[in-house]
C-alpha cells in the first residue's frame, strides 16, 4: 500500500536532509529579478545521480559536461547561472563550463568531477568567467539557501518555482525555471531534484525518465526546445531509507517523484512568457499511451488554440484540428470534446451549447479541455498557457 505524500510549505530543494545551497550576484544576468544569478547546491555526503537532457541536436557546453560527469560514481554539487546559456560557444564554452565546475569544487572542497553545471540565458555568448568565479566564492551555503538558488536561475520567469514533499521516511525537493522556449522533448527549462533517500543510479535514471515523461515532457509554452534543457536528480541517502528494498518503497518513491515533477511542470506552464491562463488538456480513449500524449501535446502547443483561449473564444474547431494533425490515430465520428466541463461535441458532431456562458468560463485563469478519442483506454494530460501580445513583446526585446 502506497503511503500518503505530504507537500511541505515552504518547500524547496534543501528540504531533504544534508543539502545546503546559496546564491550570489555576479552581474551575468542584468535583468535578474532578485539580483541573484549564480547559485550552488551541495550535498554534505556523496550522491548517486541521474539526468535527463534536451533532445535538441545542438547541446550546450553545460549539458555535455553534465553527461560526462554523470559517468563517475558520485556527485556532490550543482552550480548554476542565469543570463548566459553557454550554448554555441565552441571549445571555449566547454572550457568555461569546466571552469564553473572547478570554481564550485574549490568553494565546496570537492573534486570538479563531482560537480554538475547548469546555465540558462542568451545563446551564443561567452560566460564572463572571472565574474562567475567571484560570485561562486561569495556564496553562503545554508539549509535555507534553496530559496535563493531557485531565484538565481530565473530569466524571464516572474516567480520562483520550488516544492518539496515528504513520503514515508524520505523527502524529495526540487526547483525549476522556465517561461519561454518551453516545449521539452527530453526537456529554456532547468530542474534540479534532491532526495535524502538512498537508491542506485540505474534506478534513479529509470524513475526520473518515467517522471519526466509524465510532467516536463507534457508542457508547452511556445513550441521551442532549448540546447540547455536539463533535469537532474541527486540522492544522498541521509534519511537512511533505501527505496529499492521493497516494491512498496519503489512505488512510493516513483509516485512522490512524479507528483513533485508535475507540480514544477505546471508552475512552468502557468508562468509562460506573457501568459494569463494555465491550460490543461486531457486526452482519453486513445489506443496507446504515446497516442494520448501526442494528441495532448499537439493541442496544448497549438498557437490557434492558445490565442482562442487568450481571447475567451469558444472556437472548439481549433482543438479538433490540432488533434487531427497529431501523430495519434483519430476517427472523427468517435470524438467527444468538453471545454471547462461544457460538452461541445459528441460522436464527431457539434452539440448545442451557450457560447456566451462558455466564453465567460474561458475568462478563468485555469482552463480545462478534455478530448475523448473513443478508441481505447489510454490517457494523458498536458499543460500549457495562452498566447498573448506580451509574449511577442518579451521575445522581440530579449537581447536589446
Amino acid at each position: 500500500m502506497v503511503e500518503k505524500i505530504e507537500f511541505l510549505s515552504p518547500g524547496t530543494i534543501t528540504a531533504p536532509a544534508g543539502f545546503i545551497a546559496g546564491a550570489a550576484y555576479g552581474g551575468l544576468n542584468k535583468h535578474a529579478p532578485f539580483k541573484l544569478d549564480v547559485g550552488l547546491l551541495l550535498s554534505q555526503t556523496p550522491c548517486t545521480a541521474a539526468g535527463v537532457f534536451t533532445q535538441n541536436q545542438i547541446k550546450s557546453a553545460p549539458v555535455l559536461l553534465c553527461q560526462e560527469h554523470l559517468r563517475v560514481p558520485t556527485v556532490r554539487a550543482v552550480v548554476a547561472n542565469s543570463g548566459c546559456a553557454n550554448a554555441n560557444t565552441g571549445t571555449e564554452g566547454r572550457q568555461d563550463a569546466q571552469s564553473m565546475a572547478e570554481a564550485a569544487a574549490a568553494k565546496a572542497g570537492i573534486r570538479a568531477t563531482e560537480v554538475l553545471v547548469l546555465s540558462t540565458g542568451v545563446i551564443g555568448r561567452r560566460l564572463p568567467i572571472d565574474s562567475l568565479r567571484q560570485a561562486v566564492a561569495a556564496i553562503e551555503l545554508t539549509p535555507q539557501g534553496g530559496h535563493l538558488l531557485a531565484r538565481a536561475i530565473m530569466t524571464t520567469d516572474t516567480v520562483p518555482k520550488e516544492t518539496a514533499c515528504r513520503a514515508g521516511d524520505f523527502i524529495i525537493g526540487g526547483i525549476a525555471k522556465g517561461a519561454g522556449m518551453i516545449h521539452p522533448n527530453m526537456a529554456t527549462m532547468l530542474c534540479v531534484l534532491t532526495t535524502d533517500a538512498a537508491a542506485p543510479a540505474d534506478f534513479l535514471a529509470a524513475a526520473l525518465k518515467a517522471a519526466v515523461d509524465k510532467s516536463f515532457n507534457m508542457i508547452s509554452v511556445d513550441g521551442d526546445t532549448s540546447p540547455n534543457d536539463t533535469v537532474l536528480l541527486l540522492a544522498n541517502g541521509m534519511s537512511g531509507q533505501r527505496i529499492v528494498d521493497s516494491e512498496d518503497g519503489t512505488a512510493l518513491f516513483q509516485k512522490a517523484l512524479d507528483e513533485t515533477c508535475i507540480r514544477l511542470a505546471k508552475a512552468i506552464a502557468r508562468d509562460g512568457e506573457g501568459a494569463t491562463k494555465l491550460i490543461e488538456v486531457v486526452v482519453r480513449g486513445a489506443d496507446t499511451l504515446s497516442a494520448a500524449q501526442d494528441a495532448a501535446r499537439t493541442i496544448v502547443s497549438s498557437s490557434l488554440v492558445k490565442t482562442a483561449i487568450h481571447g475567451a473564444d469558444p472556437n472548439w474547431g481549433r482543438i479538433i484540428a490540432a488533434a487531427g494533425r497529431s501523430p495519434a490515430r483519430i476517427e472523427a465520428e468517435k470524438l467527444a470534446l468538453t471545454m471547462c466541463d461544457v460538452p461541445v461535441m459528441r460522436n464527431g458532431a457539434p452539440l448545442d451549447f451557450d457560447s456566451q456562458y462558455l466564453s465567460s468560463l474561458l475568462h478563468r485563469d485555469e482552463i480545462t479541455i478534455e478530448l475523448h478519442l473513443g478508441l481505447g483506454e489510454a490517457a494523458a494530460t498536458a499543460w500549457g498557457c495562452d498566447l498573448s501580445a506580451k509574449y511577442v513583446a518579451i521575445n522581440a526585446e530579449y537581447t536589446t
Side-chain angles (χ1 to χ4, degrees), residues 76-398:
R76 289 284 303 275
V78 178
V79 62
N81 76 274
S82 63
C84 177
N86 192 9
N88 294 91
T89 46
T91 55
E92 293 86 355
R94 288 295 303 274
Q95 182 54 54
D96 290 343
Q98 179 64 29
S99 295
M100 278 185 70
E102 291 169 357
K107 172 71 177 181
I110 59 178
R111 296 186 299 272
T113 53
E114 296 179 296
V115 180
L116 302 177
V117 175
L118 300 176
S119 295
T120 182
V122 178
I123 294 169
R125 292 183 181 174
R126 291 281 306 279
L127 279 169
I129 202 67
D130 289 340
S131 298
L132 186 141
R133 286 195 186 100
Q134 292 173 16
V136 169
I139 292 172
E140 179 184 0
L141 296 169
T142 71
Q144 295 76 39
H147 301 297
L148 299 178
L149 180 57
R151 287 152 176 77
I153 60 175
M154 293 168 60
T155 51
T156 57
D157 306 63
T158 65
V159 293
K161 297 147 181 86
E162 51 189 335
T163 192
C165 72
R166 183 184 301 278
D169 294 327
F170 65 86
I171 294 174
I172 296 176
I175 61 171
K177 69 83 53 183
M181 199 177 277
I182 299 295
H183 187 72
N185 188 24
M186 1 212 346
T188 299
M189 68 153 283
L190 300 175
C191 174
V192 184
L193 302 154
T194 57
T195 182
D196 50 17
D202 57 348
F203 172 83
L204 291 180
L208 183 60
K209 185 180 184 307
V212 165
D213 284 344
K214 297 173 186 174
S215 57
F216 301 114
N217 272 348
M218 296 301 293
I219 59 175
S220 183
V221 169
D222 49 20
D224 276 299
T225 64
S226 165
N228 293 64
D229 293 335
T230 301
V231 181
L232 301 173
L233 172 58
L234 281 65
N236 68 9
M238 287 193 67
S239 69
Q241 179 70 35
R242 283 183 48 83
I243 57 176
V244 294
D245 287 343
S246 68
E247 287 188 12
D248 285 348
T250 57
L252 177 61
F253 183 84
Q254 187 70 66
K255 181 174 173 58
L257 185 63
D258 290 350
E259 292 191 12
T260 299
C261 289
I262 287 171
R263 280 202 170 205
L264 292 170
K266 289 175 70 174
I268 289 173
R270 187 188 303 274
D271 194 33
E273 289 174 342
T276 65
K277 303 172 186 179
L278 174 70
I279 304 172
E280 180 176 270
V281 175
V282 182
V283 172
R284 304 188 190 281
D287 54 355
T288 66
L289 176 59
S290 62
Q293 292 173 329
D294 286 338
R297 276 169 56 96
T298 303
I299 293 167
V300 86
S301 62
S302 164
S303 295
L304 289 177
V305 171
K306 291 154 73 69
T307 50
I309 297 301
H310 179 70
D313 181 5
N315 187 354
W316 58 266
R318 293 181 173 183
I319 299 168
I320 299 304
R325 68 176 170 82
S326 77
R329 184 165 74 91
I330 302 287
E331 294 184 17
E333 67 277 8
K334 294 183 178 180
L335 296 176
L337 178 67
T338 64
M339 299 176 68
C340 298
D341 296 321
V342 175
V344 298
M345 186 183 70
R346 185 180 299 127
N347 296 325
L351 297 173
D352 290 331
F353 65 94
D354 186 335
S355 61
Q356 289 188 334
Y357 171 67
L358 180 52
S359 180
S360 71
L361 298 180
L362 291 172
H363 282 284
R364 295 172 175 174
D365 57 10
E366 294 191 12
I367 306 300
T368 301
I369 296 168
E370 183 167 331
L371 177 66
H372 202 292
L373 304 187
L375 298 173
E377 302 298 323
T381 303
W383 299 272
C385 60
D386 57 333
L387 185 61
S388 71
K390 190 175 179 182
Y391 172 85
V392 177
I394 290 170
N395 283 282
E397 302 167 357
Y398 189 59

